[in-house]
Amino acid sequence: MKDSLPSPPPPMSYYSLRQKEVINVCTCRTLGCVSDLEIDPHTGCILSLVLPGEGKLCWFLGREFDYVIPWRSIIQIGTDIILVEVDEEKIRRKCD
């Protein structure tokens, strides 16, 4: 029997990426769902996933920060979840 390489995964749309729950394997905590992407304009490569952080006063006053997860911190993208390994304090970015 001939050894064959596994076939590459099919392309993924931004819409399907937004439907997945992001889980930090360091804390086993759900961080939320992807709300945006940061893309390198020169290469077109995804640099990071952006997730909304907790809101102020039941979301009425917006939110204090977003989670910005570097692409290299993604461990695995499954059918319904994205596993990441991050220090949550280091990936917080203050909202404007």
Side-chain angles (χ1 to χ4, degrees), residues 25-57:
V25 298
C26 296
T27 60
C28 297
R29 193 169 94 88
T30 298
L31 299 177
C33 293
V34 176
S35 64
D36 203 356
L37 301 173
E38 290 185 342
I39 298 173
D40 184 321
H42 301 291
T43 64
C45 293
I46 298 172
L47 299 175
S48 56
L49 305 177
V50 180
L51 288 70
E54 290 100 24
K56 301 179 196 174
L57 193 62

Side-chain angles (χ1 to χ4, degrees), residues 12 20 76-83:
M12 185 178 305
K20 300 176 189 302
Q76 186 169 3
I77 299 176
T79 56
D80 56 353
I81 62 171
I82 300 172
L83 299 177

Side-chain angles (χ1 to χ4, degrees), residues 51-90:
L51 288 70
E54 290 100 24
K56 301 179 196 174
L57 193 62
C58 301
W59 293 94
F60 291 124
L61 302 174
R63 46 184 202 279
E64 294 182 33
F65 65 90
D66 287 330
Y67 291 114
V68 181
I69 302 171
W71 188 257
R72 68 181 176 278
S73 298
I74 297 174
I75 296 173
Q76 186 169 3
I77 299 176
T79 56
D80 56 353
I81 62 171
I82 300 172
L83 299 177
V84 298
E85 186 174 5
V86 293
D87 178 346
E88 292 175 27
E89 293 299 317
K90 291 183 179 178

